C-alpha cells in the first residue's frame, strides 16, 4: 500500500475533506529568496573583511542560488583560505556560508569549526557530520609525526573534491605553509581580514557600551596608541578592553614609545661596542630607506647571530634592537623573549616540537633571543631531541619572517662550530655581529657608570685597585667582562657598608675607596 495514499484517506475520513494543498507561487519563493539574500548581504557588509572579499562571498552565495534554481549546471567546490586569527570573524563567515548552503541545498546541513590541535588524522569523519568544515590552528599539524601528517593531508584531499565547503583560517604565513603540503591547487579563493582604523574600534566600543564621558578621551588615546600594534584579534581586543573598563572604571596604562633619537642615545651611551653600533646604524638606515621608497620592509632578512663571550653586551643590544625594530614598525610589539636551549628541548618523545612552538608563538610580533644557542647541537647528554628543536626553529624562521626576528647568541668558537654543522640555520641568517671583549679602560668606564647611576662616587685609588683586579682575572676561563665588573661593584658596595658602619659624614658614606674594592669569591680558572 502506498503510505502517502493511506494517510490521505485517513485525513479525508476524519475531516470529510481532501488533504489541503499548500500552494506557493514562484513569485513568493523568489521574494523569500530575495529577502534571505538581502539579510545575508547585510551581514557580509558588516564583516571586518576587505571589499574584494565581501564581493567574493556575495558571488559565492549568488552562484549557490543559481545552481539551486538550475540556472547553473556545474557544481563548484568553494574551498576558501581565510586570512585571520579572529575567532569571531571565523564564526560569522562560517555561519553565513552554512546558512546559504543549507537554504540552497548546496551541501548537507551542519557546519564544524575544528582546531588542528584536536583533530584526528583521518578527517573524513568530520565531513560525514557536516557539509561545511572550518580548520583553524593550522600550524598544529606540523607538530605531529610524519605518519599522522601523511594521513591527515591524504584524507583531506579526498574530501576537497566532494560536494562540501572547506575553509582554512590563519595568518598569511600559516596558510601558505599549510597549502604547501600538496593543497595549493585546491584552494584558489581567499578572504582577507580588513585593516581597521583605530577610530572605528573606538566608535564601536562607545556605541555598544555605556562608557563615562570622562573616560572617552582617554579611551580614544589608548586605542590610537595600542590597537595597530596589538596581536589580539579585533573582537578579543574589544572585549578585553571593555571588561577592563567595566571592572576598573579606568583605561589601561600603556607603554610610551621611545623616539629613535632616544633609542640611539641608549645605544651610543653604551661603553665600547663601536662595530656593533656601526652595524645597527647601517641597519636602521637600510630599513628607513626601503620604507621611504615604498618597498616591502619584510624583504630584509633580519635573523641574526651575536658572537661573543659572556658580559659583552649581547642581551642589552638585543633589547635596544627590539625597540628600534618596533619604532620602525618592522615588528608589531616592543618585546624581547629571552630563552636558552633548555627552554626549547623537552625530555620525552613528541614534546620538543610543541615546546619550541610555544616559545615561538610567545615571541611572534617581536624578537626571540636564544642565548647559548650552540647547546642545541650538543647530544653528549644522550638527548636526541635537539635536532627536532632546530628543525622547528628553522621552519619558524622561514615561515614567520614577516613577524619574527630570531637572534642566536653564544661564544664565538662554539657558535661557529654550531653554524658550520647546521646549514639550514646558516642559510637563514641575514646578519652576524661580533661582540668583542672589553678593554681594561672600557671595563673601568662601565664600573664608573655603575657607581654614578647608584649615587656613589669613587676615588682614584679605588680605580687603580680595580685595574689590578681586572688584570688579575681577565685571562681566566670564566671571566665575564661587564658581568665580572658588576660582580666586583656589588661586592664592593657590601664591603663599603661594613667599612663605614661607624661613620656619619655623608661624603664618606657615598664614596668608594681602595679598601672597599672587593675580591672575595671571584671565580678564577686559568
Amino acid at each position: 500500500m502506498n503510505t502517502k495514499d493511506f494517510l490521505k484517506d485517513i485525513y479525508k475520513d476524519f475531516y470529510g475533506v481532501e488533504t489541503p494543498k499548500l500552494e506557493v507561487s514562484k513569485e513568493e519563493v523568489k521574494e523569500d529568496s530575495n529577502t534571505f539574500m538581502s539579510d545575508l548581504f547585510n551581514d557580509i557588509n558588516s564583516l571586518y573583511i576587505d571589499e574584494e572579499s565581501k564581493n567574493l562571498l556575495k558571488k559565492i552565495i549568488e552562484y549557490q542560488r543559481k545552481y539551486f534554481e538550475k540556472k547553473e549546471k556545474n557544481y563548484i567546490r568553494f574551498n576558501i583560505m581565510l586570512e585571520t586569527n579572529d575567532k569571531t570573524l571565523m564564526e560569522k563567515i562560517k555561519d553565513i556560508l552554512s546558512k546559504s548552503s543549507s537554504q540552497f541545498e548546496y551541501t548537507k546541513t551542519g557546519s564544524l569549526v575544528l582546531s588542528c590541535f584536536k583533530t584526528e588524522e583521518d578527517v573524513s569523519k568530520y565531513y560525514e557530520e557536516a557539509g561545511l568544515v572550518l580548520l583553524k590552528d593550522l600550524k598544529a599539524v606540523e607538530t605531529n609525526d610524519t605518519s599522522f601528517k601523511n594521513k591527515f593531508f591524504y584524507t583531506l584531499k579526498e574530501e576537497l573534491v566532494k560536494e562540501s565547503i572547506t575553509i582554512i583560517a590563519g595568518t598569511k604565513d600559516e596558510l601558505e605553509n599549510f597549502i604547501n603540503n600538496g593543497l595549493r591547487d585546491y584552494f584558489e579563493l581567499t578572504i582577507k581580514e580588513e585593516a581597521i582604523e583605530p577610530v572605528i574600534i573606538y566608535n564601536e566600543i562607545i556605541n555598544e557600551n555605556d562608557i563615562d564621558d570622562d573616560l572617552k578621551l582617554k579611551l580614544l588615546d589608548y586605542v590610537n596608541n595600542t590597537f595597530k600594534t596589538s596581536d589580539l584579534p579585533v573582537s578579543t581586543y574589544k572585549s578585553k578592553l571593555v571588561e577592563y573598563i567595566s571592572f576598573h572604571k579606568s583605561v589601561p596604562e600603556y607603554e610610551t614609545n621611545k623616539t629613535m633619537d632616544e633609542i640611539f642615545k641608549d645605544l651610543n651611551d653604551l661603553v665600547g661596542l663601536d662595530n656593533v653600533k656601526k652595524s645597527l646604524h647601517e641597519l636602521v638606515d637600510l630599513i628607513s630607506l626601503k620604507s621611504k621608497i615604498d618597498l616591502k620592509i619584510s624583504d630584509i632578512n633580519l635573523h641574526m647571530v651575536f658572537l661573543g663571550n659572556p658580559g659583552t653586551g649581547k642581551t642589552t643590544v638585543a633589547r635596544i634592537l627590539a625597540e628600534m625594530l618596533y619604532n620602525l614598525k618592522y615588528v608589531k610589539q616592543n618585546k624581547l623573549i629571552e630563552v636558552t636551549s633548555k627552554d626549547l628541548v623537552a625530555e620525552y618523545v613528541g614534546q620538543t616540537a610543541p615546546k619550541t612552538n610555544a616559545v615561538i608563538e610567545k615571541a611572534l610580533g617581536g624578537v626571540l633571543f636564544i642565548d647559548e644557542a650552540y647547546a642545541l647541537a650538543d647530544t653528549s647528554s644522550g638527548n636526541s631531541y635537539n635536532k627536532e628543536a632546530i628543525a622547528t626553529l628553522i621552519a619558524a624562521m622561514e615561515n614567520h619572517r614577516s613577524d619574527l626576528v630570531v637572534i642566536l647568541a653564544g661564544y664565538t668558537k662554539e657558535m661557529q662550530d654550531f653554524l658550520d654543522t647546521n646549514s639550514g640555520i646558516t642559510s637563514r641568517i641575514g646578519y652576524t655581529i661580533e661582540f668583542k671583549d672589553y678593554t681594561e679602560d672600557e671595563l673601568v668606564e662601565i664600573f664608573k657608570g655603575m657607581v654614578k647611576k647608584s649615587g656613589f662616587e669613587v676615588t682614584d685609588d679605588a680605580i687603580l685597585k680595580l685595574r689590578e683586579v681586572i688584570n688579575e682575572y681577565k685571562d681566566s676561563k670564566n671571566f665575564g667582562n661587564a658581568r665580572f665588573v658588576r660582580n666586583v661593584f656589588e661586592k664592593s658596595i657590601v664591603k663599603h657598608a661594613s667599612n663605614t658602619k661607624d661613620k656619619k659624614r655623608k661624603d664618606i658614606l657615598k664614596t668608594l675607596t681602595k679598601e672597599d674594592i672587593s675580591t672575595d669569591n671571584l671565580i678564577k680558572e686559568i
Side-chain angles (χ1 to χ4, degrees), residues 177-208:
N177 193 37
F178 190 80
I179 64 173
N180 276 342
N181 292 280
L183 301 178
R184 187 172 298 278
D185 292 338
Y186 295 88
F187 290 92
E188 297 179 344
L189 304 176
T190 303
I191 295 174
K192 296 181 180 181
E193 187 174 18
E194 184 180 32
I196 309 168
E197 289 302 313
V199 67
I200 301 297
I201 299 300
Y202 166 75
N203 285 326
E204 289 184 355
I205 291 176
I206 63 173
N207 289 334
E208 296 169 6

Side-chain angles (χ1 to χ4, degrees), residues 385-433:
Y385 309 129
N386 294 42
K387 290 183 178 179
E388 186 178 358
I390 293 174
T392 306
L393 184 62
I394 290 173
M397 293 170 73
E398 185 63 32
N399 298 331
H400 297 290
R401 280 182 58 174
S402 62
D403 60 350
L404 176 68
V405 173
V406 176
I407 300 175
L408 306 171
Y411 296 122
T412 302
K413 182 182 182 305
E414 285 82 351
M415 284 300 296
Q416 291 288 10
D417 292 342
F418 168 64
L419 295 173
D420 287 344
T421 57
N422 288 278
S423 58
I425 289 280
T426 306
S427 63
R428 287 164 176 81
I429 297 299
Y431 286 82
T432 298
I433 300 177

Side-chain angles (χ1 to χ4, degrees), residues 340-390:
T340 66
S341 61
K342 294 179 181 179
D343 299 304
L344 305 177
V345 181
E347 298 179 358
Y348 302 102
V349 175
Q351 293 183 348
T352 292
K355 187 174 183 180
T356 303
N357 273 322
V359 172
I360 292 167
E361 187 77 20
K362 186 178 179 182
L364 286 180
V367 179
L368 174 60
F369 182 83
I370 306 176
D371 202 8
E372 299 178 359
Y374 53 82
L376 288 171
D378 182 16
T379 57
S380 59
S381 60
N383 190 338
S384 60
Y385 309 129
N386 294 42
K387 290 183 178 179
E388 186 178 358
I390 293 174

Side-chain angles (χ1 to χ4, degrees), residues 220-315:
L220 178 59
D221 179 66
Y222 178 85
V223 173
N224 277 328
N225 282 281
T226 63
F227 175 66
K228 285 192 173 182
T229 58
S230 173
D231 269 349
L232 294 174
V234 175
S235 57
T236 306
Y237 175 90
K238 286 171 57 180
S239 63
K240 287 178 71 69
L241 182 52
V242 169
E243 287 171 7
Y244 185 96
I245 294 172
S246 299
F247 184 76
H248 295 280
K249 306 303 179 187
S250 64
V251 175
E253 298 290 332
Y254 64 90
E255 184 178 345
T256 304
N257 303 327
K258 288 183 178 180
T259 65
M260 190 57 77
D261 287 341
E262 291 172 329
I263 298 171
F264 269 123
K265 184 179 184 305
D266 291 340
L267 176 66
N268 295 330
D269 284 347
L270 296 178
V271 175
L273 305 176
D274 291 341
N275 65 308
V276 176
K277 295 173 183 176
K278 182 174 181 293
S279 295
L280 293 193
H281 275 276
E282 291 174 349
L283 176 61
V284 169
D285 289 343
L286 175 60
I287 295 176
S288 299
L289 173 63
K290 280 187 169 285
S291 179
K292 288 175 183 176
I293 58 178
D294 199 27
L295 291 179
K296 292 182 179 179
I297 295 178
S298 56
D299 288 343
I300 308 172
N301 178 10
L302 290 191
H303 297 314
M304 301 183 184
V305 169
F306 283 6
L307 304 176
N309 289 322
T312 50
K314 297 187 294 295
T315 305

